[in-house]
Amino acid sequence: LTKMVVDNNIDILALQETHVSSDKPQNLKIEQLELVAFIGHEQYGIATYIHPRLTAQIKETKISDDLLS
């Protein structure tokens, strides 16, 4: 993914179906991007990244457990 980010000058990246549990966000590291939001799940999961030259305001969002089951 790092090569795609660099080659395409990507500033914002959203991934779905990450299949990474909540306790392992380090497994989602992508060089050149900062992980700003993550919902971990071993079968689902989403991650949102931004380039460090951008600024982000992170707001806490609660998701109902029934959406993840």
Side-chain angles (χ1 to χ4, degrees):
L1 285 175
T2 299
K3 180 173 175 16
M4 179 190 72
V5 167
V6 171
D7 290 351
N8 294 286
N9 198 29
I10 292 174
D11 289 330
I12 299 171
L13 177 67
L15 299 177
Q16 62 183 24
E17 302 297 333
T18 57
H19 300 264
V20 175
S21 62
S22 304
D23 60 340
K24 300 195 179 190
Q26 68 275 13
N27 292 348
L28 292 169
K29 183 167 177 48
I30 298 176
E31 296 296 326
Q32 306 291 321
L33 295 178
E34 179 182 341
L35 180 64
V36 294
F38 166 57
I39 299 173
H41 193 280
E42 291 180 0
Q43 292 179 328
Y44 312 107
I46 60 173
T48 305
Y49 302 82
I50 65 168
H51 194 281
R53 73 174 161 262
L54 303 177
T55 58
Q57 290 183 342
I58 300 171
K59 297 185 179 187
E60 186 174 337
T61 303
K62 296 193 182 211
I63 296 179
S64 173
D65 287 337
D66 60 327
L67 292 175
L68 297 176
S69 57

